[in-house]
Amino acid sequence: MYKYYFRPGYGSENLLIEIFEGTENETFVSDFLDAVCEINPKLNDVLDLWMNDEIEMFYDSEAGAFALSKDIWGFAFITAENNQEGLARINSILEKASLFEKFEVDFENYK
């Protein structure tokens, strides 16, 4: 089971999806893509940010563009700064996905 928050970025009004448990699974990326398959995500580019031990994948989809970043500390983030509606759609899909569990957060904690 993957646990996540749908929350604002720190000091930002833009929302993001933070997956804070389960990302160490080898199947995380494929499980995420399977969960959101209804929006037909297509990989555009991959950046390997070796200095931060992070990988960032950029996708186009029927819900618009978004990025998935994953680090070695067990966190993954789905962001879409210029596509907040698409990000909300991804959240709605994950809320119904059997492998994902959403946890509510207080938006005040991220100001």
Side-chain angles (χ1 to χ4, degrees):
M1 176 80 61
Y2 302 105
K3 297 180 180 181
Y4 79 96
Y5 301 127
F6 185 46
R7 65 168 183 83
Y10 288 104
S12 173
E13 293 183 14
N14 284 334
L15 297 173
L16 57 83
I17 295 171
E18 174 188 349
I19 301 163
F20 62 90
E21 190 169 306
T23 63
E24 67 282 351
N25 295 340
E26 288 182 20
T27 60
F28 165 69
V29 174
S30 61
D31 288 343
F32 168 73
L33 293 174
D34 286 346
V36 299
C37 68
E38 71 183 63
I39 61 170
N40 296 313
K42 304 286 184 231
L43 184 64
N44 266 348
D45 196 11
V46 177
L47 292 177
D48 187 2
L49 305 171
W50 61 270
M51 290 173 41
N52 296 334
D53 290 323
E54 180 180 356
I55 188 165
E56 192 165 14
M57 296 161 274
F58 297 92
Y59 293 88
D60 279 329
S61 76
E62 291 176 9
F66 66 92
L68 169 61
S69 62
K70 185 177 177 306
D71 64 33
I72 63 165
W73 297 284
F75 294 99
F77 295 91
I78 297 128
T79 57
E81 291 183 24
N82 298 319
N83 182 21
Q84 291 287 284
E85 287 180 21
L87 192 66
R89 184 167 172 198
I90 292 169
N91 173 60
S92 294
I93 293 167
L94 293 179
E95 285 179 320
K96 298 171 194 155
S98 62
L99 291 178
F100 289 82
E101 182 178 5
K102 180 180 178 181
F103 287 79
E104 297 299 325
V105 296
D106 183 351
F107 281 23
E108 293 295 315
N109 293 338
Y110 297 93
K111 288 189 174 185

